[in-house]
Amino acid sequence: MERPAVGELVPPERTLMGPGPSEVHPRVRRAMSTPLVGHLDPSFLDLMNDVQELLRYTFRTDNEWTIPISGTGSAAMEAAIANLTEPGDTVVVPTNGYFGGRMASMVRRAGGDVVEVDAPWGAPLDPDDVRTVFSNHDPDLLGFVHAETSTGTLQTNVPELTEIAHANDALVIADAVTSLGGVEFRVDDWGIDAAYSATQKCLSAPPGASPLTLSDRAMAKVTNRDARVRSWYLDLSELADYWGEERSYHHTAPITNIYALREALRLVAEEGIEERWERHERVAGALRAGVEAMGLDIASESWLPSLNAVRLPEGVDDTAVIDHLLDEYGVEVASGLGDFAGEILRIGCMGYSARPENVLFVLSGLGDALENDGVDADAGLAAAREQL
Ligand SMILES: Cc1ncc(COP(=O)(O)O)c(C=O)c1O
């Protein structure tokens, strides 16, 4: 067999304004190029404490059980769902976006029964609908997506949702993949029992070590399970050996990803979590003002600063716009999924990508791509500049 003649890695320059990954902060990239130590090295054990403390700050929680799960956001999602769902449990999941569907799929694999609470794509769940589902089904768990990346929808009324669940002795799992570190999210104040996220969105680190937090009450359910968790890798009672007091081997931690996460979280703490939420709202607000001044609409009823669902004019081919932005500007944005397929562009504004120059650049490219579709690019740029 011939030796493969594969050239040096030279990724193209991109401005990442899609649904994730966002651009990685230069300090995070530097942290990733520092030398490896072992995952049981005393220095790494200290670093694990740093990461846990910084994660608690970012999640707004005192939960002891706050750790990064090895893998992407779906790994942390599956860790939450697989550990908290016992076979036969009834779990409420939303139908208003793509990731509620993924929750349902994970619940079924964990042996749970799914009950859906409906809302249209682009709308948040209505607490009254959640109340009705609770009175009809007596669920054990409520899952919801705080920031639905497929529709750019922010779930409002979270404390009301958790109250409904707790009044029925159910636990609450929140998907904060596209909100953690970018959009107001408060685990303790809002009464959330378990929340998971990812690093490649508002935290601006590469994917690979994904935040998870569980309250003592949630962890008590995990440790008192009758049936063992079906996944060995994600079983939190096994992972406790490594992330708990003993710090003994469970699996080799993704050391470089943990370095990256630590630096990304240090950036959150330096900026201040509330200031960071405010920056996302301001910079994404300029993006929103820009697209609206161009004559385009936000497709979601409950705007999510980190993910802007921009409705395209009738008859415009979304892939042509996406290709134009990538080929001519090196800007990544994404198409719609599910009910929104072919109708919207998903423009992210997350973490290190949430910068004024990125917003002005994406608006220029968008105006250019839609030049012949009645879009007023100059008005868009002027409106964004005014907000910034
Ligand atoms: C809301 C939401 N949940 C879960 C996931 C899954 O995360 P990952 O793709 O990192 O596995 C994503 C990914 O985009 C997401 O947006």
Side-chain angles (χ1 to χ4, degrees):
M1 195 197 274
E2 283 193 20
R3 281 188 287 155
V6 176
E8 190 187 342
L9 175 69
V10 189
E13 292 227 355
R14 297 287 189 230
T15 300
L16 297 176
M17 295 296 279
S22 61
E23 290 170 25
V24 172
H25 194 286
R27 264 176 52 187
V28 173
R29 278 195 275 152
R30 268 204 301 279
M32 291 183 73
S33 60
T34 54
L36 281 201
V37 296
H39 57 285
L40 294 171
D41 188 290
S43 70
F44 195 72
L45 302 185
D46 287 344
L47 189 145
M48 290 164 71
N49 291 334
D50 297 341
V51 169
Q52 289 189 280
E53 187 187 346
L54 288 161
L55 275 178
R56 287 187 194 104
Y57 171 76
T58 307
F59 269 125
R60 315 271 69 211
T61 186
D62 291 329
N63 288 343
E64 190 187 333
W65 259 92
T66 305
I67 62 170
I69 293 287
S70 305
T72 67
S74 302
M77 179 177 191
E78 192 144 31
I81 293 173
N83 280 273
L84 288 172
T85 306
E86 288 213 66
D89 274 0
T90 299
V91 185
V92 182
V93 300
T95 61
N96 59 345
Y98 181 87
F99 291 100
R102 186 172 295 183
M103 271 188 172
S105 169
M106 289 180 177
V107 166
R108 291 193 187 100
R109 281 166 194 256
D113 298 320
V114 168
V115 173
E116 290 176 336
V117 54
D118 293 322
W121 277 48
L125 298 180
D126 182 333
D128 285 340
D129 294 335
V130 175
R131 222 170 258 117
T132 306
V133 167
F134 266 85
S135 51
N136 292 341
H137 296 279
D138 191 25
D140 303 285
L141 286 167
L142 165 66
F144 75 92
V145 181
H146 180 237
E148 182 43 87
T149 325
S150 61
T151 62
T153 301
L154 177 71
Q155 179 61 52
T156 46
N157 301 310
V158 173
E160 206 177 334
L161 300 186
T162 58
E163 244 178 74
I164 297 166
H166 292 160
N168 289 276
D169 272 337
L171 296 175
V172 177
I173 302 177
D175 181 319
V177 168
T178 295
S179 50
L180 187 72
V183 178
E184 182 177 10
F185 182 70
R186 299 177 184 276
V187 168
D188 287 1
D189 288 355
W190 293 354
I192 293 165
D193 300 289
Y196 57 85
S197 189
T199 46
Q200 75 274 20
K201 311 272 186 178
C202 298
L203 298 177
S204 276
S210 299
L212 174 71
T213 186
L214 274 87
S215 66
D216 287 349
R217 196 165 152 228
M219 210 44 205
K221 176 161 183 183
V222 175
T223 47
N224 293 322
R225 285 174 64 105
D226 290 331
R228 302 201 81 173
V229 177
R230 289 177 186 177
S231 161
W232 177 88
Y233 196 69
L234 297 174
D235 184 341
L236 293 175
S237 55
E238 303 265 356
L239 275 168
D241 293 347
Y242 187 53
W243 284 99
E245 271 177 24
E246 269 186 41
R247 295 279 195 249
S248 61
Y249 172 73
H250 175 263
H251 67 266
T252 309
I255 295 151
T256 305
N257 286 88
I258 305 276
Y259 286 173
L261 177 58
R262 179 179 183 275
E263 193 61 21
L265 294 170
R266 249 162 52 83
L267 285 160
V268 174
E270 277 174 29
E271 184 173 0
I273 187 74
E274 287 174 357
E275 288 76 6
R276 201 169 164 102
W277 297 336
E278 189 278 325
R279 169 169 60 87
H280 279 76
E281 195 161 330
R282 180 171 44 83
V283 176
L287 174 66
R288 178 185 176 167
V291 295
E292 286 178 346
M294 280 180 172
L296 304 171
D297 295 327
I298 295 289
S300 144
E301 285 172 32
S302 174
W303 176 59
L304 174 64
S306 49
L307 198 288
N308 296 267
V310 177
R311 194 178 291 286
L312 287 168
E314 279 284 316
V316 169
D317 174 9
D318 60 339
T319 49
V321 177
I322 290 165
D323 290 350
H324 185 87
L325 284 168
L326 194 68
D327 297 342
E328 304 298 324
Y329 290 80
V331 170
E332 181 180 282
V333 301
S335 57
L337 301 170
D339 288 7
F340 282 166
E343 291 181 14
I344 62 164
L345 288 185
R346 290 185 298 145
I347 307 182
C349 196
M350 305 177 188
Y352 186 57
S353 288
R355 301 200 307 283
E357 61 265 40
N358 278 12
V359 163
L360 295 174
F361 193 42
V362 78
L363 285 173
S364 304
L366 195 58
D368 181 24
L370 296 172
E371 199 182 5
N372 299 320
D373 300 292
V375 156
D376 186 347
D378 291 342
L381 282 169
R385 263 198 216 99
E386 198 177 311
Q387 292 264 324
L388 290 167

PDB file of all heavy atoms in Angstrom, residues 294-324:
ATOM      1  N   MET A 294     -33.166  46.100   7.357  1.00  0.00           N
ATOM      2  CA  MET A 294     -33.045  45.641   5.966  1.00  0.00           C
ATOM      3  C   MET A 294     -34.379  45.164   5.405  1.00  0.00           C
ATOM      4  O   MET A 294     -34.492  44.858   4.226  1.00  0.00           O
ATOM      5  CB  MET A 294     -32.087  44.433   5.912  1.00  0.00           C
ATOM      6  CG  MET A 294     -30.643  44.777   5.950  1.00  0.00           C
ATOM      7  SD  MET A 294     -29.736  43.206   5.877  1.00  0.00           S
ATOM      8  CE  MET A 294     -28.090  43.817   5.694  1.00  0.00           C
ATOM      9  N   GLY A 295     -35.343  45.000   6.306  1.00  0.00           N
ATOM     10  CA  GLY A 295     -36.661  44.542   5.863  1.00  0.00           C
ATOM     11  C   GLY A 295     -36.894  43.058   6.115  1.00  0.00           C
ATOM     12  O   GLY A 295     -37.843  42.469   5.588  1.00  0.00           O
ATOM     13  N   LEU A 296     -36.024  42.437   6.936  1.00  0.00           N
ATOM     14  CA  LEU A 296     -36.190  41.007   7.253  1.00  0.00           C
ATOM     15  C   LEU A 296     -36.739  40.864   8.681  1.00  0.00           C
ATOM     16  O   LEU A 296     -36.590  41.769   9.501  1.00  0.00           O
ATOM     17  CB  LEU A 296     -34.842  40.288   7.142  1.00  0.00           C
ATOM     18  CG  LEU A 296     -34.125  40.427   5.795  1.00  0.00           C
ATOM     19  CD1 LEU A 296     -32.712  39.875   5.874  1.00  0.00           C
ATOM     20  CD2 LEU A 296     -34.907  39.701   4.697  1.00  0.00           C
ATOM     21  N   ASP A 297     -37.344  39.706   8.969  1.00  0.00           N
ATOM     22  CA  ASP A 297     -37.929  39.492  10.306  1.00  0.00           C
ATOM     23  C   ASP A 297     -37.165  38.430  11.079  1.00  0.00           C
ATOM     24  O   ASP A 297     -36.578  37.534  10.489  1.00  0.00           O
ATOM     25  CB  ASP A 297     -39.365  38.934  10.200  1.00  0.00           C
ATOM     26  CG  ASP A 297     -40.291  39.927   9.567  1.00  0.00           C
ATOM     27  OD1 ASP A 297     -40.076  41.122   9.777  1.00  0.00           O
ATOM     28  OD2 ASP A 297     -41.218  39.471   8.858  1.00  0.00           O
ATOM     29  N   ILE A 298     -37.278  38.519  12.403  1.00  0.00           N
ATOM     30  CA  ILE A 298     -36.829  37.426  13.270  1.00  0.00           C
ATOM     31  C   ILE A 298     -38.008  36.445  13.360  1.00  0.00           C
ATOM     32  O   ILE A 298     -39.140  36.850  13.661  1.00  0.00           O
ATOM     33  CB  ILE A 298     -36.450  37.965  14.673  1.00  0.00           C
ATOM     34  CG1 ILE A 298     -35.227  38.913  14.580  1.00  0.00           C
ATOM     35  CG2 ILE A 298     -36.210  36.831  15.659  1.00  0.00           C
ATOM     36  CD1 ILE A 298     -33.899  38.263  14.263  1.00  0.00           C
ATOM     37  N   ALA A 299     -37.716  35.162  13.086  1.00  0.00           N
ATOM     38  CA  ALA A 299     -38.813  34.185  12.963  1.00  0.00           C
ATOM     39  C   ALA A 299     -39.335  33.704  14.318  1.00  0.00           C
ATOM     40  O   ALA A 299     -40.410  33.111  14.393  1.00  0.00           O
ATOM     41  CB  ALA A 299     -38.343  32.992  12.139  1.00  0.00           C
ATOM     42  N   SER A 300     -38.574  33.956  15.381  1.00  0.00           N
ATOM     43  CA  SER A 300     -38.996  33.425  16.679  1.00  0.00           C
ATOM     44  C   SER A 300     -39.812  34.458  17.463  1.00  0.00           C
ATOM     45  O   SER A 300     -39.543  35.661  17.384  1.00  0.00           O
ATOM     46  CB  SER A 300     -37.735  33.026  17.445  1.00  0.00           C
ATOM     47  OG  SER A 300     -37.879  33.292  18.796  1.00  0.00           O
ATOM     48  N   GLU A 301     -40.761  33.949  18.238  1.00  0.00           N
ATOM     49  CA  GLU A 301     -41.595  34.839  19.072  1.00  0.00           C
ATOM     50  C   GLU A 301     -40.859  35.298  20.323  1.00  0.00           C
ATOM     51  O   GLU A 301     -41.287  36.213  21.004  1.00  0.00           O
ATOM     52  CB  GLU A 301     -42.841  34.075  19.553  1.00  0.00           C
ATOM     53  CG  GLU A 301     -43.876  33.876  18.497  1.00  0.00           C
ATOM     54  CD  GLU A 301     -44.968  32.944  18.999  1.00  0.00           C
ATOM     55  OE1 GLU A 301     -45.271  32.925  20.211  1.00  0.00           O
ATOM     56  OE2 GLU A 301     -45.507  32.216  18.149  1.00  0.00           O
ATOM     57  N   SER A 302     -39.827  34.560  20.690  1.00  0.00           N
ATOM     58  CA  SER A 302     -39.104  34.869  21.920  1.00  0.00           C
ATOM     59  C   SER A 302     -37.614  34.896  21.571  1.00  0.00           C
ATOM     60  O   SER A 302     -36.936  33.870  21.543  1.00  0.00           O
ATOM     61  CB  SER A 302     -39.427  33.778  22.956  1.00  0.00           C
ATOM     62  OG  SER A 302     -38.662  33.960  24.102  1.00  0.00           O
ATOM     63  N   TRP A 303     -37.143  36.082  21.254  1.00  0.00           N
ATOM     64  CA  TRP A 303     -35.800  36.284  20.683  1.00  0.00           C
ATOM     65  C   TRP A 303     -34.696  35.750  21.601  1.00  0.00           C
ATOM     66  O   TRP A 303     -34.696  36.001  22.808  1.00  0.00           O
ATOM     67  CB  TRP A 303     -35.599  37.772  20.434  1.00  0.00           C
ATOM     68  CG  TRP A 303     -34.240  38.138  19.940  1.00  0.00           C
ATOM     69  CD1 TRP A 303     -33.631  37.700  18.802  1.00  0.00           C
ATOM     70  CD2 TRP A 303     -33.317  39.046  20.557  1.00  0.00           C
ATOM     71  NE1 TRP A 303     -32.387  38.287  18.671  1.00  0.00           N
ATOM     72  CE2 TRP A 303     -32.170  39.110  19.733  1.00  0.00           C
ATOM     73  CE3 TRP A 303     -33.345  39.822  21.716  1.00  0.00           C
ATOM     74  CZ2 TRP A 303     -31.063  39.906  20.034  1.00  0.00           C
ATOM     75  CZ3 TRP A 303     -32.241  40.615  22.016  1.00  0.00           C
ATOM     76  CH2 TRP A 303     -31.121  40.655  21.189  1.00  0.00           C
ATOM     77  N   LEU A 304     -33.775  35.045  20.969  1.00  0.00           N
ATOM     78  CA  LEU A 304     -32.623  34.492  21.671  1.00  0.00           C
ATOM     79  C   LEU A 304     -31.380  35.200  21.134  1.00  0.00           C
ATOM     80  O   LEU A 304     -31.009  34.981  19.984  1.00  0.00           O
ATOM     81  CB  LEU A 304     -32.558  32.979  21.389  1.00  0.00           C
ATOM     82  CG  LEU A 304     -31.362  32.209  21.909  1.00  0.00           C
ATOM     83  CD1 LEU A 304     -31.321  32.220  23.431  1.00  0.00           C
ATOM     84  CD2 LEU A 304     -31.402  30.767  21.392  1.00  0.00           C
ATOM     85  N   PRO A 305     -30.726  36.060  21.932  1.00  0.00           N
ATOM     86  CA  PRO A 305     -29.599  36.824  21.393  1.00  0.00           C
ATOM     87  C   PRO A 305     -28.499  35.949  20.774  1.00  0.00           C
ATOM     88  O   PRO A 305     -27.914  36.326  19.760  1.00  0.00           O
ATOM     89  CB  PRO A 305     -29.060  37.571  22.622  1.00  0.00           C
ATOM     90  CG  PRO A 305     -30.212  37.657  23.562  1.00  0.00           C
ATOM     91  CD  PRO A 305     -31.027  36.428  23.331  1.00  0.00           C
ATOM     92  N   SER A 306     -28.247  34.795  21.364  1.00  0.00           N
ATOM     93  CA  SER A 306     -27.136  33.973  20.874  1.00  0.00           C
ATOM     94  C   SER A 306     -27.441  33.286  19.540  1.00  0.00           C
ATOM     95  O   SER A 306     -26.532  32.797  18.875  1.00  0.00           O
ATOM     96  CB  SER A 306     -26.756  32.934  21.933  1.00  0.00           C
ATOM     97  OG  SER A 306     -27.911  32.274  22.399  1.00  0.00           O
ATOM     98  N   LEU A 307     -28.720  33.211  19.163  1.00  0.00           N
ATOM     99  CA  LEU A 307     -29.059  32.566  17.874  1.00  0.00           C
ATOM    100  C   LEU A 307     -30.237  33.295  17.242  1.00  0.00           C
ATOM    101  O   LEU A 307     -31.361  33.254  17.761  1.00  0.00           O
ATOM    102  CB  LEU A 307     -29.398  31.078  18.095  1.00  0.00           C
ATOM    103  CG  LEU A 307     -29.366  30.142  16.882  1.00  0.00           C
ATOM    104  CD1 LEU A 307     -30.517  30.361  15.929  1.00  0.00           C
ATOM    105  CD2 LEU A 307     -28.042  30.221  16.122  1.00  0.00           C
ATOM    106  N   ASN A 308     -29.936  33.960  16.131  1.00  0.00           N
ATOM    107  CA  ASN A 308     -30.939  34.792  15.477  1.00  0.00           C
ATOM    108  C   ASN A 308     -31.516  34.056  14.272  1.00  0.00           C
ATOM    109  O   ASN A 308     -30.793  33.763  13.312  1.00  0.00           O
ATOM    110  CB  ASN A 308     -30.286  36.112  15.066  1.00  0.00           C
ATOM    111  CG  ASN A 308     -29.829  36.877  16.293  1.00  0.00           C
ATOM    112  OD1 ASN A 308     -30.568  37.707  16.818  1.00  0.00           O
ATOM    113  ND2 ASN A 308     -28.640  36.553  16.812  1.00  0.00           N
ATOM    114  N   ALA A 309     -32.805  33.763  14.335  1.00  0.00           N
ATOM    115  CA  ALA A 309     -33.477  33.059  13.236  1.00  0.00           C
ATOM    116  C   ALA A 309     -34.039  34.130  12.307  1.00  0.00           C
ATOM    117  O   ALA A 309     -35.050  34.760  12.604  1.00  0.00           O
ATOM    118  CB  ALA A 309     -34.595  32.196  13.798  1.00  0.00           C
ATOM    119  N   VAL A 310     -33.358  34.344  11.180  1.00  0.00           N
ATOM    120  CA  VAL A 310     -33.730  35.436  10.270  1.00  0.00           C
ATOM    121  C   VAL A 310     -34.552  34.862   9.112  1.00  0.00           C
ATOM    122  O   VAL A 310     -34.069  34.002   8.360  1.00  0.00           O
ATOM    123  CB  VAL A 310     -32.459  36.134   9.731  1.00  0.00           C
ATOM    124  CG1 VAL A 310     -32.821  37.226   8.733  1.00  0.00           C
ATOM    125  CG2 VAL A 310     -31.643  36.708  10.885  1.00  0.00           C
ATOM    126  N   ARG A 311     -35.789  35.319   9.011  1.00  0.00           N
ATOM    127  CA  ARG A 311     -36.660  34.800   7.947  1.00  0.00           C
ATOM    128  C   ARG A 311     -36.260  35.411   6.604  1.00  0.00           C
ATOM    129  O   ARG A 311     -36.116  36.630   6.488  1.00  0.00           O
ATOM    130  CB  ARG A 311     -38.128  35.106   8.254  1.00  0.00           C
ATOM    131  CG  ARG A 311     -39.086  34.305   7.392  1.00  0.00           C
ATOM    132  CD  ARG A 311     -40.533  34.587   7.745  1.00  0.00           C
ATOM    133  NE  ARG A 311     -40.935  34.089   9.054  1.00  0.00           N
ATOM    134  CZ  ARG A 311     -41.146  32.807   9.351  1.00  0.00           C
ATOM    135  NH1 ARG A 311     -40.963  31.871   8.435  1.00  0.00           N
ATOM    136  NH2 ARG A 311     -41.518  32.458  10.565  1.00  0.00           N
ATOM    137  N   LEU A 312     -36.072  34.549   5.610  1.00  0.00           N
ATOM    138  CA  LEU A 312     -35.655  35.025   4.285  1.00  0.00           C
ATOM    139  C   LEU A 312     -36.870  35.476   3.475  1.00  0.00           C
ATOM    140  O   LEU A 312     -37.980  34.959   3.681  1.00  0.00           O
ATOM    141  CB  LEU A 312     -34.937  33.885   3.549  1.00  0.00           C
ATOM    142  CG  LEU A 312     -33.535  33.577   4.078  1.00  0.00           C
ATOM    143  CD1 LEU A 312     -33.019  32.264   3.512  1.00  0.00           C
ATOM    144  CD2 LEU A 312     -32.574  34.718   3.729  1.00  0.00           C
ATOM    145  N   PRO A 313     -36.684  36.424   2.546  1.00  0.00           N
ATOM    146  CA  PRO A 313     -37.805  36.828   1.688  1.00  0.00           C
ATOM    147  C   PRO A 313     -38.310  35.624   0.884  1.00  0.00           C
ATOM    148  O   PRO A 313     -37.538  34.709   0.580  1.00  0.00           O
ATOM    149  CB  PRO A 313     -37.179  37.859   0.750  1.00  0.00           C
ATOM    150  CG  PRO A 313     -35.919  38.312   1.400  1.00  0.00           C
ATOM    151  CD  PRO A 313     -35.443  37.162   2.234  1.00  0.00           C
ATOM    152  N   GLU A 314     -39.590  35.621   0.574  1.00  0.00           N
ATOM    153  CA  GLU A 314     -40.232  34.564  -0.231  1.00  0.00           C
ATOM    154  C   GLU A 314     -39.400  34.265  -1.482  1.00  0.00           C
ATOM    155  O   GLU A 314     -38.954  35.191  -2.162  1.00  0.00           O
ATOM    156  CB  GLU A 314     -41.611  35.046  -0.720  1.00  0.00           C
ATOM    157  CG  GLU A 314     -42.744  34.944   0.276  1.00  0.00           C
ATOM    158  CD  GLU A 314     -43.260  33.523   0.445  1.00  0.00           C
ATOM    159  OE1 GLU A 314     -43.437  32.804  -0.571  1.00  0.00           O
ATOM    160  OE2 GLU A 314     -43.442  33.158   1.612  1.00  0.00           O
ATOM    161  N   GLY A 315     -39.210  33.006  -1.767  1.00  0.00           N
ATOM    162  CA  GLY A 315     -38.584  32.625  -3.029  1.00  0.00           C
ATOM    163  C   GLY A 315     -37.060  32.651  -3.011  1.00  0.00           C
ATOM    164  O   GLY A 315     -36.425  32.254  -3.985  1.00  0.00           O
ATOM    165  N   VAL A 316     -36.447  33.118  -1.913  1.00  0.00           N
ATOM    166  CA  VAL A 316     -34.973  33.143  -1.861  1.00  0.00           C
ATOM    167  C   VAL A 316     -34.454  31.760  -1.458  1.00  0.00           C
ATOM    168  O   VAL A 316     -34.978  31.139  -0.531  1.00  0.00           O
ATOM    169  CB  VAL A 316     -34.483  34.221  -0.859  1.00  0.00           C
ATOM    170  CG1 VAL A 316     -32.991  34.081  -0.592  1.00  0.00           C
ATOM    171  CG2 VAL A 316     -34.801  35.605  -1.378  1.00  0.00           C
ATOM    172  N   ASP A 317     -33.462  31.288  -2.198  1.00  0.00           N
ATOM    173  CA  ASP A 317     -32.876  29.981  -1.922  1.00  0.00           C
ATOM    174  C   ASP A 317     -31.860  30.129  -0.775  1.00  0.00           C
ATOM    175  O   ASP A 317     -30.826  30.788  -0.934  1.00  0.00           O
ATOM    176  CB  ASP A 317     -32.198  29.488  -3.215  1.00  0.00           C
ATOM    177  CG  ASP A 317     -31.430  28.207  -3.010  1.00  0.00           C
ATOM    178  OD1 ASP A 317     -31.550  27.600  -1.927  1.00  0.00           O
ATOM    179  OD2 ASP A 317     -30.673  27.814  -3.931  1.00  0.00           O
ATOM    180  N   ASP A 318     -32.155  29.510   0.359  1.00  0.00           N
ATOM    181  CA  ASP A 318     -31.273  29.690   1.531  1.00  0.00           C
ATOM    182  C   ASP A 318     -29.858  29.197   1.264  1.00  0.00           C
ATOM    183  O   ASP A 318     -28.881  29.826   1.682  1.00  0.00           O
ATOM    184  CB  ASP A 318     -31.881  29.020   2.779  1.00  0.00           C
ATOM    185  CG  ASP A 318     -32.100  27.528   2.628  1.00  0.00           C
ATOM    186  OD1 ASP A 318     -32.173  27.045   1.467  1.00  0.00           O
ATOM    187  OD2 ASP A 318     -32.199  26.831   3.651  1.00  0.00           O
ATOM    188  N   THR A 319     -29.729  28.101   0.520  1.00  0.00           N
ATOM    189  CA  THR A 319     -28.370  27.570   0.323  1.00  0.00           C
ATOM    190  C   THR A 319     -27.524  28.521  -0.536  1.00  0.00           C
ATOM    191  O   THR A 319     -26.317  28.640  -0.323  1.00  0.00           O
ATOM    192  CB  THR A 319     -28.366  26.153  -0.305  1.00  0.00           C
ATOM    193  OG1 THR A 319     -29.224  26.172  -1.433  1.00  0.00           O
ATOM    194  CG2 THR A 319     -28.828  25.101   0.660  1.00  0.00           C
ATOM    195  N   ALA A 320     -28.183  29.231  -1.457  1.00  0.00           N
ATOM    196  CA  ALA A 320     -27.425  30.188  -2.285  1.00  0.00           C
ATOM    197  C   ALA A 320     -26.887  31.318  -1.400  1.00  0.00           C
ATOM    198  O   ALA A 320     -25.740  31.758  -1.564  1.00  0.00           O
ATOM    199  CB  ALA A 320     -28.317  30.758  -3.387  1.00  0.00           C
ATOM    200  N   VAL A 321     -27.680  31.760  -0.441  1.00  0.00           N
ATOM    201  CA  VAL A 321     -27.239  32.838   0.458  1.00  0.00           C
ATOM    202  C   VAL A 321     -26.088  32.338   1.340  1.00  0.00           C
ATOM    203  O   VAL A 321     -25.062  33.009   1.516  1.00  0.00           O
ATOM    204  CB  VAL A 321     -28.419  33.334   1.332  1.00  0.00           C
ATOM    205  CG1 VAL A 321     -27.960  34.404   2.317  1.00  0.00           C
ATOM    206  CG2 VAL A 321     -29.554  33.860   0.458  1.00  0.00           C
ATOM    207  N   ILE A 322     -26.271  31.132   1.877  1.00  0.00           N
ATOM    208  CA  ILE A 322     -25.241  30.560   2.758  1.00  0.00           C
ATOM    209  C   ILE A 322     -23.929  30.373   1.985  1.00  0.00           C
ATOM    210  O   ILE A 322     -22.845  30.714   2.474  1.00  0.00           O
ATOM    211  CB  ILE A 322     -25.757  29.222   3.348  1.00  0.00           C
ATOM    212  CG1 ILE A 322     -26.887  29.521   4.345  1.00  0.00           C
ATOM    213  CG2 ILE A 322     -24.641  28.423   4.004  1.00  0.00           C
ATOM    214  CD1 ILE A 322     -27.716  28.325   4.719  1.00  0.00           C
ATOM    215  N   ASP A 323     -24.034  29.865   0.758  1.00  0.00           N
ATOM    216  CA  ASP A 323     -22.831  29.649  -0.056  1.00  0.00           C
ATOM    217  C   ASP A 323     -22.160  30.976  -0.401  1.00  0.00           C
ATOM    218  O   ASP A 323     -20.935  31.085  -0.392  1.00  0.00           O
ATOM    219  CB  ASP A 323     -23.182  28.912  -1.356  1.00  0.00           C
ATOM    220  CG  ASP A 323     -23.570  27.461  -1.077  1.00  0.00           C
ATOM    221  OD1 ASP A 323     -23.380  27.009   0.067  1.00  0.00           O
ATOM    222  OD2 ASP A 323     -24.084  26.792  -1.994  1.00  0.00           O
ATOM    223  N   HIS A 324     -22.975  31.982  -0.687  1.00  0.00           N
ATOM    224  CA  HIS A 324     -22.415  33.302  -1.033  1.00  0.00           C
ATOM    225  C   HIS A 324     -21.615  33.851   0.159  1.00  0.00           C
ATOM    226  O   HIS A 324     -20.487  34.326   0.001  1.00  0.00           O
ATOM    227  CB  HIS A 324     -23.541  34.262  -1.415  1.00  0.00           C
ATOM    228  CG  HIS A 324     -23.049  35.590  -1.895  1.00  0.00           C
ATOM    229  ND1 HIS A 324     -22.726  35.841  -3.215  1.00  0.00           N
ATOM    230  CD2 HIS A 324     -22.785  36.746  -1.228  1.00  0.00           C
ATOM    231  CE1 HIS A 324     -22.300  37.085  -3.334  1.00  0.00           C
ATOM    232  NE2 HIS A 324     -22.326  37.661  -2.148  1.00  0.00           N
TER     233      HIS A 324
END
